[in-house]
Amino acid sequence: MRVIVAGGGVAGAATAVALRRAGADVTVHEAYEDPAGPVGSFLSLAVNGLRALDALGCLDAVRAAGFPIPRQRMWSGGGRLLGDVPRGRPADEPMESVSLERGRLVAALRAEAVRAGARIVTGARLTDATPDGTGVRAEFSDGSADDADLLVGADGIWSRTRRLLDPAAPEPAYAGLYSVAGETAGPVAGVDPGTFNMVFCRAGAFAAIGRPDGPVWWAAQVAAPEPPDLAAVDPAALADLYRREPMPSAVLAAATETHRPTLHHVMEPVRVWRTDRIVLAGDAMHPVGAGQGASMAVEDAAALGRALLAAADVPAALAAYEADRRARTADLLNLARRNRDSKVAGPVAARVRDIVMPLVFRRFHACATAWLYEREEPRLAAVSGRAD
Ligand SMILES: Cc1cc2nc3c(=O)[nH]c(=O)nc-3n(C[C@H](O)[C@H](O)[C@H](O)COP(=O)(O)OP(=O)(O)OC[C@H]3O[C@@H](n4cnc5c(N)ncnc54)[C@H](O)[C@@H]3O)c2cc1C
């Protein structure tokens, strides 16, 4: 079976590994020459994403590219501890959440895809896809074309494949938040190594990750009703926005590096995920956010690999894959919306949040997140050589 994967990000590279393990001949077509550059700062993989990576045989490579972050602490802007829980895992789960730069995650997964026997072609974007006999013909911006039994659209939140599947597919809309992220050169008092700290501030949430080796990765998620001119966002203006909150102020005062700011987007649920020969994965299908986008992209990959191994033919496999992923991602989209709302709460809602959150975390956090973390990810056996 020949498979074309459009997009060589987290979902595309992980899908290439999974489909090689399902015995397919896989070619990834990535729009940019080097998508593994410093795009997207850092992200975290929760235990469900790590299990999916383990199912693909990629866990060690990804762990080696990042840091374990065992604890998550929530703080009010004034510095009151609202919650202290295991990060991205249940209390009794020994596997610790991993944080790493997005570029390093993509690079690690792409290396695993190539090691598994996939080809990666860069520098041209998917422009069109049409049914071709019992397969699909994909066309690219450099004028080339490729034929396959299956096209996987792992081409991100602005997916071309999604639009080809359904001309009425939803478009991303600005979410009322933008992110500015960066780093410090060394430790910052109050940000313990191995902790992910989320501070609910007047301007918007502020995350500070204490790397085990000392420096702090930070990200300000600034609430702004209209999308700002990102070129005009500067570190001094940011420090001013967070000047009244102790932890963000201390981190920003120590900041030595600021990455390119990014806008957050939301999207209505995607109605059409597949035809018999084309299917979506990752942000193209469900831009979930909530610190789960990368984990869900890897889950998609593992689920698609398993479905192709189990089903009699490609259309049946895609139907099984959609059934598996629909319910899970619908629950996650609801969780993501609640998370976003808590980050942009007005003064009254913020006060209620600061009172209620400690109780919620003490009493309900473990059972409220069990469904997310406790998913089985059976291992996909390695396939040797390239399937032709
Ligand atoms: C500020 C921010 C913080 C985040 N933090 C986290 C976090 O902590 N944890 C987490 O799990 N997730 C996080 N995410 C989400 C996570 O980054 C995404 O969910 C994840 O990268 C999705 O992977 P993807 O492969 O589907 O899409 P992408 O990573 O966007 O990759 C899509 C790829 O397709 C390529 N492409 C696009 N169009 C075409 C085309 N027509 N033809 C060929 N190639 C194409 C692109 O160049 C890109 O390489 C965060 C996102 C943001 C914006």
Side-chain angles (χ1 to χ4, degrees), residues 5-13 29-32 35-36 40-46 87 102 105-106 110 124-127 140 154-161 179 196 219 221 262-265 281-297:
V5 179
V10 180
H29 289 263
E30 162 57 42
Y32 291 95
S41 297
F42 39 80
L43 51 74
S44 299
L45 289 155
R87 166 92 175 136
R102 178 190 169 279
L105 174 59
V106 172
R110 287 171 133 223
R125 57 180 51 241
L126 176 83
T127 51
F140 299 92
D155 44 356
I157 189 169
W158 301 99
S159 172
R160 172 72 184 149
T161 316
S179 274
F196 177 101
Q221 300 181 357
T262 51
L263 301 179
H264 288 231
H265 291 92
D283 276 6
M285 190 162 81
H286 49 59
V288 287
Q292 275 283 336
S295 294
M296 284 291 145

Short mmCIF file of all heavy atoms in Angstrom, two decimals, residues 5-13 29-32 35-36 40-46 87 102 105-106 110 124-127 140 154-161 179 196 219 221 262-265 281-297, ligand 1:
data_model
loop_
_atom_site.label_atom_id
_atom_site.label_comp_id
_atom_site.label_asym_id
_atom_site.label_seq_id
_atom_site.Cartn_x
_atom_site.Cartn_y
_atom_site.Cartn_z
N VAL A 5 1.69 11.41 2.87
CA VAL A 5 1.34 12.21 4.03
C VAL A 5 1.64 13.66 3.69
O VAL A 5 2.79 13.99 3.38
CB VAL A 5 2.13 11.77 5.29
CG1 VAL A 5 1.75 12.64 6.48
CG2 VAL A 5 1.89 10.30 5.59
N ALA A 6 0.64 14.53 3.70
CA ALA A 6 0.87 15.96 3.44
C ALA A 6 1.13 16.64 4.77
O ALA A 6 0.26 16.66 5.65
CB ALA A 6 -0.35 16.57 2.76
N GLY A 7 2.35 17.16 4.96
CA GLY A 7 2.71 17.81 6.22
C GLY A 7 3.68 16.96 7.02
O GLY A 7 3.41 15.78 7.28
N GLY A 8 4.81 17.55 7.37
CA GLY A 8 5.84 16.82 8.12
C GLY A 8 6.04 17.39 9.50
O GLY A 8 7.15 17.45 10.01
N GLY A 9 4.94 17.84 10.16
CA GLY A 9 5.00 18.31 11.55
C GLY A 9 4.86 17.13 12.49
O GLY A 9 5.24 16.00 12.15
N VAL A 10 4.32 17.39 13.68
CA VAL A 10 4.19 16.33 14.69
C VAL A 10 3.30 15.21 14.15
O VAL A 10 3.67 14.02 14.16
CB VAL A 10 3.59 16.89 16.00
CG1 VAL A 10 3.45 15.79 17.03
CG2 VAL A 10 4.46 18.02 16.54
N ALA A 11 2.10 15.57 13.64
CA ALA A 11 1.15 14.55 13.18
C ALA A 11 1.72 13.81 11.97
O ALA A 11 1.64 12.58 11.89
CB ALA A 11 -0.19 15.19 12.83
N GLY A 12 2.30 14.55 11.02
CA GLY A 12 2.78 13.93 9.78
C GLY A 12 3.93 12.97 10.02
O GLY A 12 3.95 11.84 9.51
N ALA A 13 4.91 13.41 10.83
CA ALA A 13 6.07 12.56 11.08
C ALA A 13 5.67 11.32 11.89
O ALA A 13 6.12 10.20 11.60
CB ALA A 13 7.16 13.35 11.80
N HIS A 29 5.24 14.67 2.26
CA HIS A 29 5.50 15.89 1.49
C HIS A 29 5.30 17.08 2.42
O HIS A 29 4.17 17.35 2.85
CB HIS A 29 4.54 16.00 0.30
CG HIS A 29 4.84 15.00 -0.78
ND1 HIS A 29 5.58 15.29 -1.89
CD2 HIS A 29 4.49 13.70 -0.89
CE1 HIS A 29 5.68 14.23 -2.66
NE2 HIS A 29 5.02 13.23 -2.08
N GLU A 30 6.38 17.78 2.73
CA GLU A 30 6.34 18.91 3.67
C GLU A 30 6.55 20.21 2.90
O GLU A 30 7.48 20.32 2.11
CB GLU A 30 7.40 18.72 4.76
CG GLU A 30 7.79 19.95 5.53
CD GLU A 30 6.62 20.66 6.22
OE1 GLU A 30 5.76 19.98 6.80
OE2 GLU A 30 6.59 21.91 6.16
N ALA A 31 5.70 21.21 3.21
CA ALA A 31 5.73 22.47 2.46
C ALA A 31 7.05 23.21 2.60
O ALA A 31 7.58 23.73 1.62
CB ALA A 31 4.58 23.36 2.94
N TYR A 32 7.61 23.24 3.80
CA TYR A 32 8.81 24.06 4.04
C TYR A 32 10.06 23.21 3.97
O TYR A 32 10.04 22.02 4.26
CB TYR A 32 8.72 24.74 5.42
CG TYR A 32 7.66 25.80 5.44
CD1 TYR A 32 6.39 25.51 5.90
CD2 TYR A 32 7.92 27.08 4.96
CE1 TYR A 32 5.39 26.47 5.89
CE2 TYR A 32 6.93 28.05 4.94
CZ TYR A 32 5.67 27.74 5.41
OH TYR A 32 4.69 28.69 5.38
N PRO A 35 10.91 22.66 8.54
CA PRO A 35 9.86 22.96 9.51
C PRO A 35 10.29 22.71 10.94
O PRO A 35 9.58 23.04 11.87
CB PRO A 35 8.74 21.98 9.13
CG PRO A 35 9.49 20.81 8.59
CD PRO A 35 10.72 21.36 7.92
N ALA A 36 11.47 22.11 11.12
CA ALA A 36 11.91 21.80 12.48
C ALA A 36 12.71 22.95 13.08
O ALA A 36 13.40 22.79 14.07
CB ALA A 36 12.73 20.52 12.47
N GLY A 40 7.13 27.76 17.16
CA GLY A 40 6.20 27.20 18.14
C GLY A 40 6.79 27.02 19.52
O GLY A 40 6.17 26.41 20.37
N SER A 41 7.99 27.54 19.78
CA SER A 41 8.60 27.47 21.12
C SER A 41 8.57 26.04 21.65
O SER A 41 8.93 25.12 20.97
CB SER A 41 7.89 28.42 22.08
OG SER A 41 8.07 29.74 21.62
N PHE A 42 8.07 25.89 22.89
CA PHE A 42 8.12 24.57 23.51
C PHE A 42 6.71 24.07 23.76
O PHE A 42 5.76 24.84 23.77
CB PHE A 42 8.89 24.62 24.83
CG PHE A 42 8.59 25.87 25.59
CD1 PHE A 42 7.45 25.97 26.35
CD2 PHE A 42 9.46 26.95 25.53
CE1 PHE A 42 7.16 27.12 27.04
CE2 PHE A 42 9.17 28.11 26.21
CZ PHE A 42 8.02 28.20 26.97
N LEU A 43 6.59 22.78 23.97
CA LEU A 43 5.29 22.20 24.30
C LEU A 43 5.50 21.02 25.23
O LEU A 43 6.64 20.58 25.45
CB LEU A 43 4.52 21.80 23.03
CG LEU A 43 5.22 20.94 21.99
CD1 LEU A 43 5.37 19.52 22.43
CD2 LEU A 43 4.43 20.99 20.68
N SER A 44 4.39 20.52 25.78
CA SER A 44 4.48 19.40 26.71
C SER A 44 3.73 18.21 26.17
O SER A 44 2.69 18.37 25.52
CB SER A 44 3.88 19.78 28.06
OG SER A 44 4.58 20.86 28.62
N LEU A 45 4.25 17.03 26.45
CA LEU A 45 3.57 15.79 26.09
C LEU A 45 3.09 15.14 27.38
O LEU A 45 3.89 14.86 28.28
CB LEU A 45 4.52 14.87 25.35
CG LEU A 45 4.86 15.35 23.93
CD1 LEU A 45 6.20 14.81 23.48
CD2 LEU A 45 3.76 14.96 22.95
N ALA A 46 1.77 14.93 27.45
CA ALA A 46 1.19 14.28 28.62
C ALA A 46 1.34 12.76 28.47
O ALA A 46 1.76 12.27 27.42
CB ALA A 46 -0.28 14.66 28.74
N ARG A 87 1.93 16.56 36.74
CA ARG A 87 1.75 17.20 35.43
C ARG A 87 1.41 16.15 34.37
O ARG A 87 2.19 15.22 34.13
CB ARG A 87 3.04 17.92 35.05
CG ARG A 87 3.14 18.36 33.58
CD ARG A 87 2.64 19.75 33.40
NE ARG A 87 2.84 20.23 32.03
CZ ARG A 87 1.90 20.90 31.36
NH1 ARG A 87 0.73 21.16 31.89
NH2 ARG A 87 2.14 21.32 30.14
N ARG A 102 9.26 22.52 20.19
CA ARG A 102 8.50 21.87 19.12
C ARG A 102 9.42 21.42 18.00
O ARG A 102 9.27 20.33 17.45
CB ARG A 102 7.43 22.82 18.57
CG ARG A 102 6.63 22.23 17.42
CD ARG A 102 5.75 23.27 16.74
NE ARG A 102 5.19 22.74 15.51
CZ ARG A 102 5.83 22.69 14.35
NH1 ARG A 102 7.07 23.14 14.26
NH2 ARG A 102 5.26 22.19 13.28
N LEU A 105 11.04 18.20 18.81
CA LEU A 105 10.09 17.08 18.71
C LEU A 105 9.93 16.67 17.24
O LEU A 105 9.98 15.48 16.90
CB LEU A 105 8.73 17.49 19.31
CG LEU A 105 7.60 16.48 19.16
CD1 LEU A 105 7.96 15.14 19.82
CD2 LEU A 105 6.29 17.02 19.75
N VAL A 106 9.73 17.67 16.38
CA VAL A 106 9.55 17.36 14.95
C VAL A 106 10.81 16.70 14.40
O VAL A 106 10.74 15.70 13.68
CB VAL A 106 9.19 18.64 14.15
CG1 VAL A 106 9.20 18.36 12.66
CG2 VAL A 106 7.82 19.17 14.58
N ARG A 110 10.88 13.05 12.81
CA ARG A 110 11.27 12.88 11.41
C ARG A 110 12.43 11.90 11.28
O ARG A 110 12.47 11.09 10.35
CB ARG A 110 11.66 14.22 10.80
CG ARG A 110 10.46 15.11 10.56
CD ARG A 110 10.97 16.47 10.17
NE ARG A 110 10.27 16.97 9.03
CZ ARG A 110 10.85 17.58 8.02
NH1 ARG A 110 12.13 17.79 8.01
NH2 ARG A 110 10.14 18.02 7.02
N ALA A 124 7.63 21.72 -1.15
CA ALA A 124 6.44 21.93 -2.01
C ALA A 124 5.20 21.59 -1.21
O ALA A 124 5.20 20.62 -0.43
CB ALA A 124 6.52 21.07 -3.26
N ARG A 125 4.14 22.38 -1.39
CA ARG A 125 2.92 22.12 -0.62
C ARG A 125 1.86 21.41 -1.44
O ARG A 125 1.78 21.59 -2.66
CB ARG A 125 2.37 23.40 -0.01
CG ARG A 125 2.04 24.52 -0.96
CD ARG A 125 1.49 25.73 -0.20
NE ARG A 125 2.32 26.13 0.90
CZ ARG A 125 1.94 26.15 2.20
NH1 ARG A 125 0.71 25.79 2.53
NH2 ARG A 125 2.75 26.55 3.13
N LEU A 126 1.06 20.61 -0.77
CA LEU A 126 -0.07 19.96 -1.42
C LEU A 126 -1.04 21.04 -1.91
O LEU A 126 -1.41 21.92 -1.13
CB LEU A 126 -0.79 19.04 -0.43
CG LEU A 126 -2.05 18.37 -0.98
CD1 LEU A 126 -1.68 17.13 -1.78
CD2 LEU A 126 -3.02 18.01 0.14
N THR A 127 -1.44 20.95 -3.19
CA THR A 127 -2.39 21.95 -3.70
C THR A 127 -3.72 21.30 -4.07
O THR A 127 -4.76 21.94 -3.98
CB THR A 127 -1.83 22.66 -4.95
OG1 THR A 127 -1.39 21.66 -5.89
CG2 THR A 127 -0.67 23.57 -4.58
N PHE A 140 1.22 19.05 -6.25
CA PHE A 140 2.02 19.90 -5.38
C PHE A 140 2.38 21.22 -6.05
O PHE A 140 2.34 21.32 -7.28
CB PHE A 140 3.27 19.14 -4.92
CG PHE A 140 2.92 17.90 -4.15
CD1 PHE A 140 2.78 16.67 -4.78
CD2 PHE A 140 2.65 17.98 -2.79
CE1 PHE A 140 2.40 15.54 -4.09
CE2 PHE A 140 2.28 16.85 -2.08
CZ PHE A 140 2.16 15.63 -2.72
N ALA A 154 -2.01 15.83 7.09
CA ALA A 154 -1.47 16.21 8.41
C ALA A 154 -0.88 17.60 8.26
O ALA A 154 0.24 17.87 8.70
CB ALA A 154 -0.43 15.19 8.87
N ASP A 155 -1.64 18.48 7.59
CA ASP A 155 -1.09 19.78 7.18
C ASP A 155 -1.54 20.93 8.07
O ASP A 155 -1.62 22.08 7.62
CB ASP A 155 -1.39 20.05 5.69
CG ASP A 155 -2.81 19.72 5.26
OD1 ASP A 155 -3.56 19.21 6.12
OD2 ASP A 155 -3.17 19.96 4.11
N GLY A 156 -1.79 20.62 9.34
CA GLY A 156 -1.92 21.67 10.36
C GLY A 156 -3.25 22.41 10.34
O GLY A 156 -4.18 22.08 9.60
N ILE A 157 -3.32 23.43 11.20
CA ILE A 157 -4.59 24.11 11.45
C ILE A 157 -5.13 24.81 10.19
O ILE A 157 -6.34 24.95 10.02
CB ILE A 157 -4.46 25.09 12.64
CG1 ILE A 157 -5.82 25.62 13.05
CG2 ILE A 157 -3.48 26.21 12.34
CD1 ILE A 157 -5.83 26.37 14.36
N TRP A 158 -4.25 25.22 9.26
CA TRP A 158 -4.70 25.89 8.03
C TRP A 158 -4.81 24.88 6.89
O TRP A 158 -4.71 25.25 5.71
CB TRP A 158 -3.75 27.03 7.66
CG TRP A 158 -3.64 28.05 8.75
CD1 TRP A 158 -2.66 28.15 9.68
CD2 TRP A 158 -4.57 29.10 9.05
NE1 TRP A 158 -2.91 29.18 10.55
CE2 TRP A 158 -4.08 29.78 10.18
CE3 TRP A 158 -5.77 29.52 8.48
CZ2 TRP A 158 -4.75 30.87 10.76
CZ3 TRP A 158 -6.44 30.60 9.04
CH2 TRP A 158 -5.93 31.25 10.16
N SER A 159 -5.10 23.64 7.21
CA SER A 159 -5.06 22.51 6.28
C SER A 159 -5.70 22.74 4.91
O SER A 159 -6.88 23.09 4.80
CB SER A 159 -5.77 21.33 6.96
OG SER A 159 -5.94 20.26 6.07
N ARG A 160 -4.92 22.49 3.87
CA ARG A 160 -5.44 22.48 2.50
C ARG A 160 -6.30 21.21 2.29
O ARG A 160 -7.32 21.24 1.63
CB ARG A 160 -4.26 22.51 1.52
CG ARG A 160 -4.62 22.32 0.06
CD ARG A 160 -5.32 23.53 -0.49
NE ARG A 160 -5.74 23.32 -1.87
CZ ARG A 160 -6.83 23.88 -2.41
NH1 ARG A 160 -7.57 24.70 -1.70
NH2 ARG A 160 -7.14 23.65 -3.66
N THR A 161 -5.86 20.10 2.88
CA THR A 161 -6.59 18.84 2.69
C THR A 161 -8.03 18.95 3.24
O THR A 161 -8.97 18.44 2.63
CB THR A 161 -5.86 17.68 3.42
OG1 THR A 161 -4.47 17.78 3.17
CG2 THR A 161 -6.38 16.34 2.97
N SER A 179 0.33 34.60 22.24
CA SER A 179 1.40 34.09 23.11
C SER A 179 2.73 34.72 22.78
O SER A 179 3.06 34.91 21.61
CB SER A 179 1.59 32.58 22.89
OG SER A 179 0.73 31.85 23.68
N PHE A 196 5.87 22.84 36.17
CA PHE A 196 5.16 23.68 35.20
C PHE A 196 4.25 24.57 36.03
O PHE A 196 3.35 24.08 36.72
CB PHE A 196 4.34 22.82 34.24
CG PHE A 196 3.53 23.60 33.25
CD1 PHE A 196 3.98 23.75 31.94
CD2 PHE A 196 2.32 24.17 33.60
CE1 PHE A 196 3.23 24.47 31.01
CE2 PHE A 196 1.57 24.90 32.68
CZ PHE A 196 2.03 25.05 31.39
N ALA A 219 5.99 31.49 28.96
CA ALA A 219 5.06 31.85 27.89
C ALA A 219 3.94 32.69 28.49
O ALA A 219 3.26 32.25 29.42
CB ALA A 219 4.47 30.61 27.23
N GLN A 221 0.36 34.30 27.87
CA GLN A 221 -0.79 34.16 26.98
C GLN A 221 -1.69 35.37 27.23
O GLN A 221 -2.48 35.39 28.16
CB GLN A 221 -1.52 32.86 27.27
CG GLN A 221 -0.60 31.66 27.05
CD GLN A 221 -1.28 30.34 27.29
OE1 GLN A 221 -2.44 30.27 27.66
NE2 GLN A 221 -0.54 29.27 27.08
N THR A 262 2.91 34.49 18.75
CA THR A 262 1.95 33.78 17.88
C THR A 262 0.53 34.07 18.35
O THR A 262 0.29 34.28 19.55
CB THR A 262 2.15 32.24 17.95
OG1 THR A 262 2.17 31.85 19.32
CG2 THR A 262 3.44 31.81 17.29
N LEU A 263 -0.40 34.09 17.40
CA LEU A 263 -1.82 34.24 17.73
C LEU A 263 -2.41 32.86 18.04
O LEU A 263 -2.02 31.87 17.42
CB LEU A 263 -2.59 34.84 16.54
CG LEU A 263 -2.15 36.21 16.04
CD1 LEU A 263 -3.01 36.62 14.85
CD2 LEU A 263 -2.23 37.26 17.15
N HIS A 264 -3.36 32.79 18.98
CA HIS A 264 -4.10 31.54 19.23
C HIS A 264 -5.35 31.53 18.36
O HIS A 264 -5.99 32.57 18.19
CB HIS A 264 -4.54 31.44 20.68
CG HIS A 264 -3.41 31.17 21.63
ND1 HIS A 264 -3.45 30.16 22.55
CD2 HIS A 264 -2.23 31.79 21.79
CE1 HIS A 264 -2.32 30.17 23.24
NE2 HIS A 264 -1.57 31.16 22.80
N HIS A 265 -5.68 30.36 17.86
CA HIS A 265 -6.89 30.24 17.03
C HIS A 265 -7.82 29.17 17.57
O HIS A 265 -7.38 28.21 18.22
CB HIS A 265 -6.50 29.88 15.59
CG HIS A 265 -5.81 31.00 14.88
ND1 HIS A 265 -4.44 31.13 14.87
CD2 HIS A 265 -6.31 32.07 14.21
CE1 HIS A 265 -4.11 32.22 14.20
NE2 HIS A 265 -5.22 32.82 13.80
N ALA A 281 -5.45 14.20 10.03
CA ALA A 281 -4.82 13.85 11.32
C ALA A 281 -4.29 15.13 11.95
O ALA A 281 -3.97 16.10 11.26
CB ALA A 281 -3.67 12.86 11.10
N GLY A 282 -4.20 15.14 13.27
CA GLY A 282 -3.61 16.26 14.00
C GLY A 282 -4.47 17.52 13.94
O GLY A 282 -5.70 17.46 13.87
N ASP A 283 -3.79 18.69 13.97
CA ASP A 283 -4.51 19.97 14.01
C ASP A 283 -5.42 20.17 12.80
O ASP A 283 -6.40 20.92 12.88
CB ASP A 283 -3.51 21.13 14.07
CG ASP A 283 -3.03 21.42 15.49
OD1 ASP A 283 -3.38 20.65 16.40
OD2 ASP A 283 -2.31 22.41 15.67
N ALA A 284 -5.13 19.56 11.68
CA ALA A 284 -6.01 19.67 10.51
C ALA A 284 -7.40 19.17 10.84
O ALA A 284 -8.40 19.68 10.34
CB ALA A 284 -5.42 18.86 9.35
N MET A 285 -7.48 18.19 11.72
CA MET A 285 -8.74 17.51 12.04
C MET A 285 -9.39 18.11 13.29
O MET A 285 -10.60 18.20 13.41
CB MET A 285 -8.42 16.03 12.25
CG MET A 285 -9.56 15.10 12.36
SD MET A 285 -9.03 13.38 12.06
CE MET A 285 -8.33 12.88 13.61
N HIS A 286 -8.55 18.51 14.27
CA HIS A 286 -9.07 18.94 15.58
C HIS A 286 -8.02 19.77 16.33
O HIS A 286 -7.27 19.22 17.14
CB HIS A 286 -9.44 17.73 16.44
CG HIS A 286 -8.35 16.71 16.51
ND1 HIS A 286 -7.09 16.99 16.97
CD2 HIS A 286 -8.31 15.42 16.14
CE1 HIS A 286 -6.34 15.92 16.89
NE2 HIS A 286 -7.06 14.94 16.38
N PRO A 287 -7.90 21.06 16.07
CA PRO A 287 -6.90 21.85 16.81
C PRO A 287 -7.34 22.00 18.26
O PRO A 287 -8.03 22.94 18.62
CB PRO A 287 -6.89 23.18 16.08
CG PRO A 287 -8.17 23.26 15.35
CD PRO A 287 -8.70 21.88 15.17
N VAL A 288 -6.92 21.05 19.14
CA VAL A 288 -7.49 20.95 20.47
C VAL A 288 -6.92 21.92 21.49
O VAL A 288 -7.62 22.33 22.41
CB VAL A 288 -7.36 19.52 21.04
CG1 VAL A 288 -8.32 18.59 20.35
CG2 VAL A 288 -5.94 19.01 20.91
N GLY A 289 -5.64 22.26 21.41
CA GLY A 289 -5.04 23.11 22.45
C GLY A 289 -5.01 22.36 23.77
O GLY A 289 -4.86 21.14 23.81
N ALA A 290 -5.18 23.11 24.89
CA ALA A 290 -5.22 22.53 26.24
C ALA A 290 -3.97 21.72 26.56
O ALA A 290 -4.02 20.76 27.32
CB ALA A 290 -6.46 21.65 26.43
N GLY A 291 -2.83 22.09 25.94
CA GLY A 291 -1.61 21.34 26.20
C GLY A 291 -1.68 19.91 25.67
O GLY A 291 -0.91 19.05 26.10
N GLN A 292 -2.62 19.64 24.73
CA GLN A 292 -2.81 18.27 24.27
C GLN A 292 -2.66 18.12 22.76
O GLN A 292 -2.82 17.03 22.23
CB GLN A 292 -4.22 17.79 24.68
CG GLN A 292 -4.28 17.23 26.09
CD GLN A 292 -3.71 15.82 26.17
OE1 GLN A 292 -3.67 15.10 25.20
NE2 GLN A 292 -3.21 15.43 27.34
N GLY A 293 -2.39 19.23 22.04
CA GLY A 293 -2.36 19.16 20.58
C GLY A 293 -1.36 18.15 20.05
O GLY A 293 -1.67 17.33 19.18
N ALA A 294 -0.15 18.17 20.59
CA ALA A 294 0.88 17.24 20.11
C ALA A 294 0.56 15.81 20.56
O ALA A 294 0.71 14.86 19.80
CB ALA A 294 2.25 17.68 20.63
N SER A 295 0.10 15.67 21.82
CA SER A 295 -0.25 14.32 22.31
C SER A 295 -1.36 13.71 21.45
O SER A 295 -1.30 12.53 21.09
CB SER A 295 -0.71 14.40 23.77
OG SER A 295 0.36 14.78 24.60
N MET A 296 -2.36 14.53 21.12
CA MET A 296 -3.47 14.01 20.30
C MET A 296 -3.00 13.68 18.88
O MET A 296 -3.47 12.73 18.27
CB MET A 296 -4.60 15.03 20.25
CG MET A 296 -5.41 15.07 21.51
SD MET A 296 -6.40 13.56 21.75
CE MET A 296 -6.30 13.43 23.52
N ALA A 297 -2.06 14.48 18.36
CA ALA A 297 -1.55 14.20 17.01
C ALA A 297 -0.86 12.83 16.99
O ALA A 297 -1.02 12.06 16.04
CB ALA A 297 -0.58 15.30 16.58
C1 LIG B 1 1.43 28.67 21.52
C2 LIG B 1 1.15 27.19 21.41
C3 LIG B 1 1.50 26.35 22.45
C4 LIG B 1 1.25 24.99 22.36
N1 LIG B 1 1.56 24.19 23.41
C5 LIG B 1 1.29 22.87 23.33
C6 LIG B 1 1.61 21.97 24.43
O1 LIG B 1 2.13 22.37 25.47
N2 LIG B 1 1.32 20.66 24.27
C7 LIG B 1 0.78 20.18 23.12
O2 LIG B 1 0.55 18.96 23.04
N3 LIG B 1 0.47 20.98 22.09
C8 LIG B 1 0.71 22.31 22.16
N4 LIG B 1 0.40 23.12 21.13
C9 LIG B 1 -0.25 22.54 19.94
C10 LIG B 1 0.72 21.76 19.06
O3 LIG B 1 1.83 22.55 18.68
C11 LIG B 1 -0.04 21.31 17.82
O4 LIG B 1 -1.26 20.71 18.21
C12 LIG B 1 0.76 20.30 17.06
O5 LIG B 1 1.96 20.89 16.60
C13 LIG B 1 -0.05 19.80 15.86
O6 LIG B 1 0.76 19.12 14.99
P1 LIG B 1 0.33 18.99 13.46
O7 LIG B 1 1.41 18.16 12.84
O8 LIG B 1 -1.07 18.57 13.32
O9 LIG B 1 0.39 20.46 12.87
P2 LIG B 1 1.68 21.37 12.65
O10 LIG B 1 2.66 21.18 13.73
O11 LIG B 1 1.16 22.72 12.36
O12 LIG B 1 2.34 20.77 11.33
C14 LIG B 1 1.74 20.89 10.06
C15 LIG B 1 2.84 20.75 9.02
O13 LIG B 1 2.24 20.74 7.73
C16 LIG B 1 2.97 21.60 6.87
N5 LIG B 1 2.03 22.03 5.84
C17 LIG B 1 1.04 22.95 5.94
N6 LIG B 1 0.34 23.02 4.80
C18 LIG B 1 0.89 22.12 3.95
C19 LIG B 1 0.59 21.72 2.61
N7 LIG B 1 -0.43 22.25 1.91
N8 LIG B 1 1.35 20.75 2.04
C20 LIG B 1 2.39 20.19 2.72
N9 LIG B 1 2.72 20.54 3.99
C21 LIG B 1 1.96 21.48 4.60
C22 LIG B 1 3.48 22.71 7.79
O14 LIG B 1 4.60 23.35 7.22
C23 LIG B 1 3.83 21.93 9.04
O15 LIG B 1 5.15 21.41 9.03
C24 LIG B 1 0.64 24.47 21.18
C25 LIG B 1 0.31 25.30 20.12
C26 LIG B 1 0.55 26.66 20.23
C27 LIG B 1 0.18 27.57 19.07
#
